[in-house]
Amino acid sequence: MSATKYVYLFGNGKAEGNAEMKDLLGGKGANLAEMDLIGIPVPPGFTITTEACIAYTKYGTAKIKELLEDDVKAAMKHIEDIMQMQFGSNENPLLVSVRSGARASMPGMMDTILNLGLNDNSIQGLIKKTQNERFAWDSYRRFVQMYGDVVMGLKPENKEDLDPFEVIMDSLKKERGITSDLELTASDLKELVYLFKRAIKERTGKDFPDDPWEQLWGAIFAVFDSWNNPRAIFYRKLHNIPDDWGTAVNVQAMVFGNMGNNSATGVAFTRDAATGEHLFNGEYLINAQGEDVVAGIRTPLQITKIGSQRWAALAGISEEERVAKYPSLEEAMPEVYKQLFEIQKKLEEHAKDMQDLEFTIQEGRLWLLQTRTGKRTGFAMVKIAMDMVREGLIDEKTALLRMEPNKLDELLHPVFSQEGLAKAKEIAKGLPASPGAATGQIVFFAEDAEAWAAQGKKVILCRLETSPEDLRGMAVAQGILTARGGMTSHAAVVARGMGKCCVTGAGSIVIDYKNRTMTTRGKTYHEG
């Protein structure tokens, strides 16, 4: 045991931390503790402090493991007792997520690993326990993919390469004659686990670790390391976040949104982050895990009925088709929606600010995984603050202090004139993720966007979906366009934070990175 307390527990309505402890527990850890204290359903877990991250940077792996080991073992026992499961058991395996959480929100800049604790033996226990072989292999496939990327470093080798795991998956889907991940069977997913592990061994020379404790320490140190990855450093520079703050690590019992059609995962905002409208909104995916929504791999569905109807109108989809194929959470799971609506109201009133929430529904049961102050556009910043003064939630002084000077500049950003819009020729339609108007040359890679912008060219960054690696290109682009993803995808959240115009989920667009072309409605547009 070390003299300094590095590990803080939460779960079952109790917590060792609270919302005031953001500097030590990071925003996520402090808010998880606070949610527990105010009676919101949060999976149990523990937070390793930002001070441990700073010490790790200074002293390295061996020394920090020695400092943390006893406390982490005791904290895992705390989760086991609440969940009535065992970490590393082959009969009743406890799986955990390992997530970063700095004291300032840095969406998508650091790393996350889900379903940690699975191996070739414990998978059998998970299958037996859940009676759901497809779910178990899907969870294992996701774990190997995330761990292989984040901890073992199997990533694209150059900018034109696609994610090596996605390449393997796409080729198997092609072989099977299917297009959606949901069509993969349990035996397909089992084969993917084997193929992923083989690719990791071939490309890194290392075997995928079977020991759950080895997996856990690998993940904890990878999250600490991600505080100093290039994209996190660049993001901190962009938002004036000090380098010596460090990130906390949050280890939590897994709850599963991919256990079938009565399970789901989603992201929601207590108000509209783009316009400031006082309207609960967000997106969810049935039978999915959290990263699917944020990464924009599948285009998600809307949480509220009104949001769903507005989305359908934009996409040119009839009400009949919307109800049949794209129902809102409010329509698909009315009881859960009612509970989520009450929770978001409680959280906003408690925090006295617009909240950005992540949630999982496991077999009809709702769990909150995160709440934080939501990123918003300059326009939304002013509207939300003024509305909250009128509602008596905050006073005028607080409203003024919430005005970020650089965001006020956004209110003067360009918009299209009505005459211009009337004459415009529409080439594709997507979601209005971040408002404004932008014009520039098409560019497909972030580093090219940077180079072209340095030459004084105006560029529009066009991607299938953006990832944290694209941050530098997003920062210099006039606007951002993605073929996939929704209003809560990485591109949408980061663009709003930067005050950039952004259109996401323009589904008719096909981007070919190798040939540097974008095709939509039969017409091909070349880079530049």
Side-chain angles (χ1 to χ4, degrees), residues 62-314:
K63 173 81 176 147
I64 291 303
K65 188 175 173 190
E66 190 189 314
L67 276 177
L68 296 177
E69 196 149 26
D70 290 347
D71 291 342
V72 167
K73 282 191 169 150
M76 286 301 282
K77 177 84 175 70
H78 153 81
I79 304 178
E80 289 176 339
D81 291 346
I82 293 176
M83 296 300 283
Q84 296 291 292
M85 298 159 102
Q86 275 80 47
F87 186 60
S89 154
N90 295 339
E91 300 300 310
N92 184 18
L94 168 72
L95 305 182
V96 295
S97 64
V98 181
R99 291 182 165 97
S100 61
R103 55 170 115 164
S105 171
M106 293 171 62
M109 294 306 124
M110 291 175 295
D111 292 317
T112 292
I113 293 158
L114 305 178
N115 311 329
L116 187 141
L118 277 173
N119 58 31
D120 293 347
N121 296 320
S122 60
I123 182 87
Q124 298 308 325
L126 191 63
I127 291 168
K128 213 162 100 187
K129 190 167 184 240
T130 59
Q131 298 292 300
N132 187 336
E133 196 182 358
R134 190 194 179 280
F135 151 74
W137 283 106
D138 183 44
S139 301
Y140 198 6
R141 183 275 300 175
R142 290 164 184 273
F143 170 50
V144 175
Q145 184 170 351
M146 279 188 193
Y147 200 92
D149 171 2
V150 172
V151 182
M152 304 187 79
L154 182 54
K155 296 177 189 293
E157 283 175 3
N158 64 53
K159 65 184 181 185
E160 282 163 19
D161 277 358
L162 293 166
D163 179 305
F165 295 110
E166 294 297 332
V167 170
I168 294 168
M169 205 149 132
D170 287 345
S171 110
L172 186 79
K173 287 198 287 202
K174 213 181 219 162
E175 217 175 280
R176 300 285 189 266
I178 57 178
T179 53
S180 161
D181 296 1
L182 293 177
E183 295 171 89
L184 291 162
T185 64
S187 64
D188 294 336
L189 293 159
K190 185 176 180 176
E191 188 172 339
L192 281 174
V193 168
Y194 166 75
L195 293 171
F196 284 179
K197 284 184 175 184
R198 190 176 72 181
I200 290 167
K201 174 76 173 167
E202 280 169 6
R203 292 267 289 272
T204 69
K206 292 187 216 116
D207 285 311
F208 191 85
D210 271 339
D211 174 13
W213 282 101
E214 188 188 333
Q215 294 171 357
L216 181 63
W217 287 110
I220 289 169
F221 296 140
V223 170
F224 281 157
D225 285 334
S226 73
W227 173 252
N228 285 316
N229 71 32
R231 61 183 190 241
I233 292 168
F234 181 72
Y235 188 90
R236 290 203 291 275
K237 213 153 102 188
L238 212 58
H239 293 274
N240 299 315
I241 297 169
D243 287 335
D244 60 5
W245 277 5
T247 180
V249 178
N250 299 289
V251 178
Q252 244 180 318
M254 278 300 302
V255 288
F256 298 97
N258 58 332
M259 282 185 88
N261 290 335
N262 60 350
S263 300
T265 185
V267 176
F269 294 90
T270 56
R271 303 188 186 218
D272 191 309
T275 65
E277 185 182 1
H278 192 172
L279 185 74
F280 178 49
N281 66 97
E283 295 170 329
Y284 79 106
L285 278 170
I286 283 184
N287 202 10
Q289 284 199 316
E291 295 304 296
D292 298 354
V293 181
V294 183
I297 294 159
R298 280 158 59 191
T299 297
L301 306 170
Q302 297 295 309
I303 286 177
T304 62
K305 186 177 173 183
I306 183 170
S308 181
Q309 287 170 330
R310 288 179 181 184
W311 169 83
L314 272 174

Side-chain angles (χ1 to χ4, degrees), residues 7-22 24-47 78 250-252 347 350 368-372:
V7 176
Y8 285 72
L9 310 180
F10 59 85
N12 237 5
K14 300 188 185 80
E16 293 182 330
N18 60 48
E20 304 301 303
M21 295 168 71
K22 283 197 166 96
L24 188 64
L25 304 179
K28 186 175 293 199
N31 287 338
L32 284 167
E34 189 75 10
M35 283 198 285
D36 242 318
L37 294 174
I38 63 170
I40 283 167
V42 170
F46 60 93
T47 300
H78 153 81
N250 299 289
V251 178
Q252 244 180 318
L347 283 171
H350 185 76
L368 266 280
L369 305 181
Q370 167 162 295
T371 186
R372 59 185 172 194

